[in-house]
Amino acid sequence: MRILLLLMALFMAMTPARADDELLTLDGIFRQGGYAIGVVPPESRILFDGVDVTVGRDGRFLIGFHRDEPPQVQLTVFPPGEELRNYMLDIEQREYDIQHIDGLPPSSVTPPQSVLDRISAEAALVRAARAVNSYDTWFDRGWIWPVKGRISGVFGSQRVLNGEPRQPHYGIDIAVPEGTPVVAPSDGVVSLVHPDMYYSGGTLMIDHGRGLASAFLHLQSISVAEGDVVRQGDVIGTVGSTGRSTGPHLDWRINWFGRRLDAAFFAPPMPD
């Protein structure tokens, strides 16, 4: 009987979060790769999928939904002096472009150990930059495209080589001529600069605050340094074809800590 009562209490505490209530306002794109910005009473604590979320003095917070986010995720609000409340967020699932390519030589699918060691070391640098949790909300400036051109690759696509799934493509590819200036899509602080990573070549990351960060891959040149404050529209580098690239383009990515988000949900529609 006690277990039944506990389950009933838990069920009653599960509240849909699409509609506003007296405790939580949450607006955004509730799809895989999307994000939401919410408001709770100041000094509240928030858990999203079991992880603490930074809440501002004004009660604002940000969360993001990974490419493979499940259909439902839980958000828990601990308001000061009140009982916690659980919200189940419905996340719209997406279909991604999956390509199967067979008959490739093994060397083109699995790099040698020396290269794997390099990839591992570079991935650690990127993870450290993604883990930055600054209190600032640079992203309040809004968003523009870092370059404008033909979109040649989309978020979420994936290749299966000789039956082995490879990492999904987490960015948007924009095909423009080599040397095209790349500008900061929003305000932030440069959190990583690397001239030549194995996969991504010239790589730059900008912290936009609260765990939200942009990454710019395959750059020909980088004109900022780690720790620099950049404003929306500042030139930060030029487009190249460095790393594992088949032609000049910018691969622009956005993540919320370890969750990969779709940059198309941030910028306005690409001009024709």
Side-chain angles (χ1 to χ4, degrees), residues 2-87:
R2 183 180 179 184
I3 294 177
L4 178 60
L5 290 173
L6 288 172
L7 289 173
M8 290 176 63
L10 179 62
F11 176 78
M12 293 175 66
M14 294 291 184
T15 307
R18 288 303 186 94
D20 298 346
D21 65 17
E22 75 283 358
L23 187 65
L24 171 69
T25 299
L26 193 62
D27 296 309
I29 300 172
F30 294 81
R31 301 183 66 193
Q32 290 175 325
Y35 70 101
I37 295 177
V39 181
V40 291
E43 300 184 7
S44 296
R45 179 187 171 212
I46 287 184
L47 287 180
F48 174 62
D49 200 24
V51 177
D52 271 296
V53 176
T54 299
V55 179
R57 285 185 290 272
D58 57 359
R60 293 176 69 231
F61 67 94
L62 181 145
I63 56 176
F65 312 121
H66 188 57
R67 173 194 184 268
D68 301 314
E69 202 73 62
Q72 285 196 321
V73 287
Q74 181 172 305
L75 185 146
T76 304
V77 180
F78 298 83
E82 299 182 35
E83 294 292 325
L84 68 85
R85 190 175 301 181
N86 290 307
Y87 298 83

Side-chain angles (χ1 to χ4, degrees), residues 226-268:
E226 291 182 11
D228 284 355
V229 175
V230 294
R231 302 297 181 185
Q232 185 184 78
D234 287 351
V235 174
I236 55 177
T238 58
V239 170
S241 185
T242 56
R244 303 276 283 187
S245 170
T246 57
H249 73 285
L250 176 68
D251 184 343
W252 176 34
R253 305 185 176 198
I254 294 182
N255 58 274
W256 181 66
F257 298 112
R259 282 176 159 87
R260 311 302 187 92
L261 312 185
D262 190 344
F265 291 152
F266 291 80

Side-chain angles (χ1 to χ4, degrees), residues 122-265:
E122 292 169 352
L125 296 175
V126 173
R127 283 196 301 272
R130 287 199 198 113
V132 173
N133 186 16
S134 58
Y135 192 79
D136 298 291
T137 54
W138 302 97
F139 55 82
D140 281 338
R141 177 66 182 272
W143 299 85
I144 61 174
W145 286 98
V147 296
K148 295 177 182 177
R150 179 177 62 87
I151 293 177
S152 58
V154 296
F155 175 85
S157 60
Q158 187 178 26
R159 288 180 174 179
V160 180
L161 306 182
N162 291 354
E164 296 183 18
R166 313 314 288 177
Q167 278 281 358
H169 186 249
Y170 291 121
I172 290 183
D173 290 340
I174 308 165
V176 290
E178 193 169 62
T180 300
V182 178
V183 302
S186 190
D187 294 354
V189 178
V190 177
S191 55
L192 175 68
V193 170
H194 196 292
D196 184 26
M197 289 189 167
Y198 178 76
Y199 281 122
S200 55
T203 302
L204 167 68
M205 292 184 66
I206 296 176
D207 166 35
H208 300 294
R210 304 286 176 89
L212 196 66
S214 283
F216 310 87
L217 282 52
H218 310 298
L219 297 173
Q220 179 187 61
S221 66
I222 298 173
S223 53
V224 292
E226 291 182 11
D228 284 355
V229 175
V230 294
R231 302 297 181 185
Q232 185 184 78
D234 287 351
V235 174
I236 55 177
T238 58
V239 170
S241 185
T242 56
R244 303 276 283 187
S245 170
T246 57
H249 73 285
L250 176 68
D251 184 343
W252 176 34
R253 305 185 176 198
I254 294 182
N255 58 274
W256 181 66
F257 298 112
R259 282 176 159 87
R260 311 302 187 92
L261 312 185
D262 190 344
F265 291 152

